[in-house]
Amino acid sequence: MWGKIEGQRLRLAKMCIADYCLALREESGNVDIPYVVSRINNEFRLVPESEMPSLINDIGYFFHCLDNQQVEALDRGGYWKWRAVSALEAKAELERNLNQLRT
């Protein structure tokens, strides 16, 4: 075993599988998410069998989110500028904005 994927990387992994399911649906017109996730898990042993229903549900949620996304692109520079802001800086800016609204 290589270790565990958790947190943001886990969410990205689930999103990648959901995106794969979207691609399958685009090719064939239909996709059976539980079947696809089960096949992937059987081959790559992502989670124990007892966690399969949860994994299928999680990937289904990501699938529907990606399928219903409305924004098609983000500005790369703006995104990286946002990513460069630390959590403390972002919290301080939020507090400043909230205080301005109170006055």
Side-chain angles (χ1 to χ4, degrees):
M1 178 179 244
W2 293 77
K4 293 188 181 266
I5 298 174
E6 298 173 326
Q8 182 181 18
R9 290 177 189 225
L10 173 62
R11 291 185 296 275
L12 290 172
K14 291 176 187 177
M15 186 174 65
C16 286
I17 295 170
D19 198 41
Y20 172 73
C21 289
L22 277 172
L24 289 176
R25 187 187 69 186
E26 287 175 18
E27 276 187 23
S28 66
N30 192 20
V31 66
D32 182 351
I33 294 172
Y35 175 78
V36 171
V37 174
S38 295
R39 293 288 307 260
I40 291 170
N41 195 61
N42 286 342
E43 186 170 346
F44 298 102
R45 308 272 188 253
L46 303 175
V47 298
E49 198 63 37
S50 62
E51 293 182 25
M52 276 301 298
S54 297
L55 181 63
I56 290 167
N57 285 336
D58 287 353
I59 291 172
Y61 298 141
F62 275 99
F63 178 89
H64 292 295
C65 178
L66 292 172
D67 193 36
N68 292 309
Q69 105 182 345
Q70 297 176 11
V71 174
E72 297 294 326
L74 296 175
D75 178 74
R76 185 183 307 252
Y79 173 74
W80 286 107
K81 183 178 176 184
W82 171 79
R83 288 283 299 182
V85 174
S86 73
L88 290 175
E89 291 170 323
K91 183 177 182 248
E93 183 178 345
L94 176 61
E95 287 174 351
R96 279 192 303 273
N97 291 339
L98 289 173
N99 286 332
Q100 286 176 350
L101 291 173
R102 288 183 188 149
T103 57

